[in-house]
Amino acid sequence: MFETTSFSFPLSALLIPFGLFLLFILLYSAFSLYHLLRFGVPSKQLVFVIVLYIIGSTLVLWVSTSLLLTYTWNAPVTFTEFTQDVPTFPL
Amino acid sequence: MDLQALPNHKPGERVVLFLRRFWFELAKIALITLVLFGGPIIGIGIFWGSIGPILERPFLGPILTLIASAYLLSVWLFAFFEYTDYYLDTWIVTNERIINIEQHGLFKRVASELHLATIQDVTAEVSGLVHTFFDYGDVYIQTAATKTRFVFKNIAHPEMVKNTIIRLSDEDKVRHGMMNIGEEKTAPKETVL
């Protein structure tokens, strides 16, 4: 029968869906930016919002990356470690 | 889009009104973004004593960081989408026609125009305490068709916009010989927003 204790996966596997999600964000940001630049009437407000969006996104990515770099990504994660890692709260 | 080079530009045509939804719509987007974006960040800051140790765990730490990052980026992108939708919904009134451009999502854009001479009825509607206080509402423009053609949604000074469109329509009808001089209704002075 399937043994949960022997099941393991590298922690870096979590980065794959995150990477796909980032690609989605990048694509849709580009679509939105294209529409604004192609069809929008140029104005200071538009420039301000675009710059704000780029700065905000960069900031979130920078902080996330800084935090993520502190973890050991090549360590394997077993099912036992996962269940032990989840915090339990007293009833 | 260049306002000086509208599609099907006619000689002597000039832009009289360039309209977008009232700034309240933008403020709503900003407020919602502030709550969804700033709320969790402030919460993490306040409860850092409890959250900090959880982030140090070898499995839970990375997964929570990834989820938090994904959430914040999603909220930020959502706000950008909403702004794009707000910014690209425009109504342009010239001395010849009305151009209605509406953005529905990212991949659907509807642009239509009607000539001022075909307008039969213009109605301004301001409903509610906030709308009345800030003077913004809807303007409905009706041609001979049974269905209402254009709706200017949540625009500033709808009464002034209505009067301007009626005046422009009457002037256009006189220009095209559809009305005699002197039959056009009087209206307040033109105000360019």
Side-chain angles (χ1 to χ4, degrees), chain B residues 14-67:
Chain B
R14 55 185 173 85
V15 174
V16 177
L17 296 171
F18 180 76
L19 305 168
R20 280 205 183 90
R21 283 180 278 160
F22 192 57
W23 61 264
F24 238 56
E25 301 293 313
L26 206 54
K28 265 194 257 180
I29 297 167
L31 187 66
I32 291 168
T33 306
L34 203 65
V35 169
L36 292 178
F37 197 87
I41 290 174
I42 292 169
I44 288 169
I46 292 170
F47 297 106
W48 183 252
S50 310
I51 294 169
I54 296 174
L55 289 180
E56 287 169 10
R57 290 173 187 258
F59 178 76
L60 211 57
I63 204 167
L64 284 179
T65 307
L66 289 174
I67 289 170

Side-chain angles (χ1 to χ4, degrees), chain B:
Chain B
M1 186 174 66
D2 182 5
L3 284 180
Q4 306 306 321
L6 293 170
N8 302 318
H9 187 265
K10 293 179 175 53
E13 185 178 17
R14 55 185 173 85
V15 174
V16 177
L17 296 171
F18 180 76
L19 305 168
R20 280 205 183 90
R21 283 180 278 160
F22 192 57
W23 61 264
F24 238 56
E25 301 293 313
L26 206 54
K28 265 194 257 180
I29 297 167
L31 187 66
I32 291 168
T33 306
L34 203 65
V35 169
L36 292 178
F37 197 87
I41 290 174
I42 292 169
I44 288 169
I46 292 170
F47 297 106
W48 183 252
S50 310
I51 294 169
I54 296 174
L55 289 180
E56 287 169 10
R57 290 173 187 258
F59 178 76
L60 211 57
I63 204 167
L64 284 179
T65 307
L66 289 174
I67 289 170
S69 177
Y71 168 79
L72 290 174
L73 285 171
S74 301
V75 168
W76 203 234
L77 182 67
F78 166 78
F80 196 47
F81 272 174
E82 289 298 305
Y83 177 79
T84 304
D85 191 69
Y86 161 84
Y87 198 79
L88 295 181
D89 281 352
T90 54
W91 299 278
I92 303 167
V93 180
T94 73
N95 57 338
E96 292 281 347
R97 55 193 165 139
I98 298 174
I99 303 169
N100 177 25
I101 303 168
E102 283 191 71
Q103 187 79 24
H104 299 280
L106 258 195
F107 302 107
K108 184 178 175 184
R109 186 174 171 79
V110 178
S112 51
E113 62 181 66
L114 69 83
H115 290 269
L116 292 174
T118 63
I119 292 173
Q120 296 207 335
D121 180 61
V122 185
T123 306
E125 184 178 298
V126 177
S127 175
L129 174 68
V130 177
H131 289 68
T132 306
F133 187 75
F134 286 99
D135 189 23
Y136 74 101
D138 302 338
V139 173
Y140 300 87
I141 298 165
Q142 182 73 48
T143 62
T146 50
K147 194 177 151 189
T148 304
R149 276 302 304 276
F150 283 172
V151 181
F152 294 4
K153 294 171 200 151
N154 288 329
I155 57 162
H157 316 300
E159 194 66 31
M160 184 276 295
V161 169
K162 181 202 82 173
N163 292 335
T164 302
I165 292 172
I166 290 172
R167 178 178 58 78
L168 290 170
S169 175
D170 289 343
E171 287 172 2
D172 194 56
K173 285 172 185 170
V174 166
R175 252 198 323 275
H176 290 89
M178 294 164 71
M179 186 188 280
N180 294 324
I181 294 170
E183 282 184 4
E184 66 272 18
K185 304 178 193 66
T186 55
K189 280 188 186 172
E190 165 189 301
T191 305
V192 178
L193 292 174

Side-chain angles (χ1 to χ4, degrees), chain A residues 9 11 14-15 18 21-22 24-25 28-29 31-33 35-36 38-43 45-46 49-50 52-53 56-57 60-61 64 67-68 71 73 77 82 84-87, chain B residues 1-3 18 20 26 37 48 54-63 65-74 76-77 80-81 83-84 86-88 90 103 106-109:
Chain A
F9 61 93
L11 193 60
L14 295 175
L15 293 174
F18 186 68
F21 173 78
L22 284 182
F24 167 83
I25 294 282
Y28 273 79
S29 298
F31 288 149
S32 205
L33 200 63
H35 278 81
L36 282 172
R38 170 86 171 78
F39 300 110
V41 176
S43 70
Q45 182 197 94
L46 180 61
V49 169
I50 290 172
L52 183 68
Y53 178 73
S57 309
V60 170
L61 283 171
S64 306
L67 282 170
L68 292 171
Y71 300 112
W73 291 95
V77 179
F82 166 65
Q84 284 175 352
D85 206 30
V86 175
Chain B
M1 186 174 66
D2 182 5
L3 284 180
F18 180 76
R20 280 205 183 90
L26 206 54
F37 197 87
W48 183 252
I54 296 174
L55 289 180
E56 287 169 10
R57 290 173 187 258
F59 178 76
L60 211 57
I63 204 167
T65 307
L66 289 174
I67 289 170
S69 177
Y71 168 79
L72 290 174
L73 285 171
S74 301
W76 203 234
L77 182 67
F80 196 47
F81 272 174
Y83 177 79
T84 304
Y86 161 84
Y87 198 79
L88 295 181
T90 54
Q103 187 79 24
L106 258 195
F107 302 107
K108 184 178 175 184
R109 186 174 171 79

Side-chain angles (χ1 to χ4, degrees), chain A:
Chain A
M1 198 57 193
F2 180 69
E3 288 180 22
T4 56
T5 51
S6 63
F7 173 74
S8 71
F9 61 93
L11 193 60
S12 55
L14 295 175
L15 293 174
I16 296 170
F18 186 68
L20 290 171
F21 173 78
L22 284 182
L23 191 65
F24 167 83
I25 294 282
L26 189 69
L27 272 171
Y28 273 79
S29 298
F31 288 149
S32 205
L33 200 63
Y34 166 77
H35 278 81
L36 282 172
L37 294 174
R38 170 86 171 78
F39 300 110
V41 176
S43 70
K44 287 179 189 170
Q45 182 197 94
L46 180 61
V47 172
F48 173 75
V49 169
I50 290 172
V51 168
L52 183 68
Y53 178 73
I54 292 169
I55 289 173
S57 309
T58 308
L59 206 64
V60 170
L61 283 171
W62 178 67
V63 171
S64 306
T65 308
S66 304
L67 282 170
L68 292 171
L69 284 174
T70 61
Y71 300 112
T72 310
W73 291 95
N74 54 11
V77 179
T78 63
F79 183 74
T80 311
E81 283 175 15
F82 166 65
T83 53
Q84 284 175 352
D85 206 30
V86 175
T88 55
F89 299 95
L91 292 174

